[in-house]
Amino acid sequence: MTLNDRPLVIPVVLGSIRDGRRSHNAARIIHERLVAHGHQSIILDLLELDLPMFTGADAEEVHPGVVAFRGALAASDASVWLSPEYNHAYTGVIKNAIDLVDDELNRKPVAACGLSAGAHGGIRATEALKTVLIEMRALPIRDSVHFGEARALFNANGSLARPEFISRVDQVIDELAWHARALRWGRDTLPLPTRD
Ligand SMILES: Cc1cc2nc3c(=O)[nH]c(=O)nc-3n(C[C@H](O)[C@H](O)[C@H](O)COP(=O)(O)O)c2cc1C
């Protein structure tokens, strides 16, 4: 196995903490497909991590949720960020989580995925999220999964009522993995540009 054949580490950030949320079903499906593709993945559930609101206080640096979140992103080769669309935007908990991160996403690809009750599957949320992730020096890829009409998308047991979404998830994973391998090689091999 060459260095770049190592399994990719691709966590899924679950950016919905709402009571009765549906996004956890979509996050689980993405996670399951990542594992099926041979990648290492965990779900970084912002509900479980219970991150503090960012204030810049020293205590935030040692908060167990912040330590776990930043540690998982630091160890990652890429990540999938799943946000429901709330008021035409990604969620506040995702923005707070980003504000708590330092350089853990630097030169790593990201797939921004969305979910919404409407037909467009959170596209306004994902497009806005990509713009913010660029500021972290992450590299959002073009492709996303947009889980639209979410109220009818999952069965009572959380399984997909529309299995055609699986092939879209698989396409996005393949795109993300290609970028992850290329950028891992780049981070391991190429000198960084100097900055003033
Ligand atoms: C505060 C709030 C704002 C919402 N705004 C939108 C919206 O702008 N567009 C849309 O299609 N759905 C909107 N919805 C519906 C959500 O997309 C839908 O409830 C979805 O299931 C939310 O994901 P969640 O179940 O993980 O919370 C909104 C829901 C909430 C709770």
Side-chain angles (χ1 to χ4, degrees):
M1 182 182 284
T2 67
L3 201 58
N4 215 20
D5 289 338
R6 298 192 313 269
L8 293 166
V9 179
I10 308 181
V12 180
V13 179
L14 168 52
S16 168
I17 64 169
R18 185 177 71 85
D19 274 0
R21 63 187 177 176
R22 294 186 176 86
S23 296
H24 66 300
N25 294 318
R28 195 193 59 253
I29 288 158
I30 296 168
H31 164 72
E32 286 172 358
R33 294 311 301 162
L34 283 163
V35 172
H37 283 240
H39 307 310
Q40 293 178 6
S41 182
I42 54 170
I43 296 179
L44 296 171
D45 182 349
L46 297 185
L47 177 61
E48 281 175 14
L49 289 168
D50 195 21
L51 302 177
M53 285 299 288
F54 172 77
T55 66
D58 289 347
E60 287 157 18
E61 298 269 325
V62 293
H63 182 284
V66 175
V67 171
F69 187 61
R70 291 181 59 183
L73 293 179
S76 72
D77 298 299
S79 49
V80 179
W81 291 61
L82 176 69
S83 180
E85 183 169 298
Y86 288 173
N87 298 316
H88 289 194
Y90 60 89
T91 57
V93 286
I94 286 193
K95 181 59 167 63
N96 186 57
I98 291 170
D99 291 344
L100 288 162
V101 165
D102 186 8
D103 68 348
E104 291 84 356
L105 298 172
N106 190 355
R107 290 162 214 275
K108 296 179 183 177
V110 178
C113 295
L115 177 145
S116 75
H120 303 300
I123 195 162
R124 288 165 290 228
T126 55
E127 291 302 305
L129 179 56
K130 286 180 193 178
T131 305
V132 171
L133 288 167
I134 289 169
E135 181 58 18
M136 310 306 291
R137 294 187 182 276
L139 289 121
I141 64 168
R142 170 189 174 276
D143 298 80
S144 304
V145 188
H146 291 111
F147 295 91
E149 297 172 346
R151 289 192 188 104
L153 196 51
F154 304 103
N155 300 311
N157 65 0
S159 61
L160 258 182
R162 291 176 57 195
E164 67 269 22
F165 269 86
I166 294 291
S167 61
R168 180 65 189 148
V169 172
D170 286 349
Q171 276 175 11
V172 171
I173 289 173
D174 285 344
E175 276 292 329
L176 187 63
W178 188 94
H179 287 82
R181 287 195 198 289
L183 286 166
R184 183 165 68 183
W185 175 84
R187 290 193 308 277
D188 287 348
T189 311
L190 300 174
L192 292 175
T194 48
R195 283 192 234 164
D196 295 335

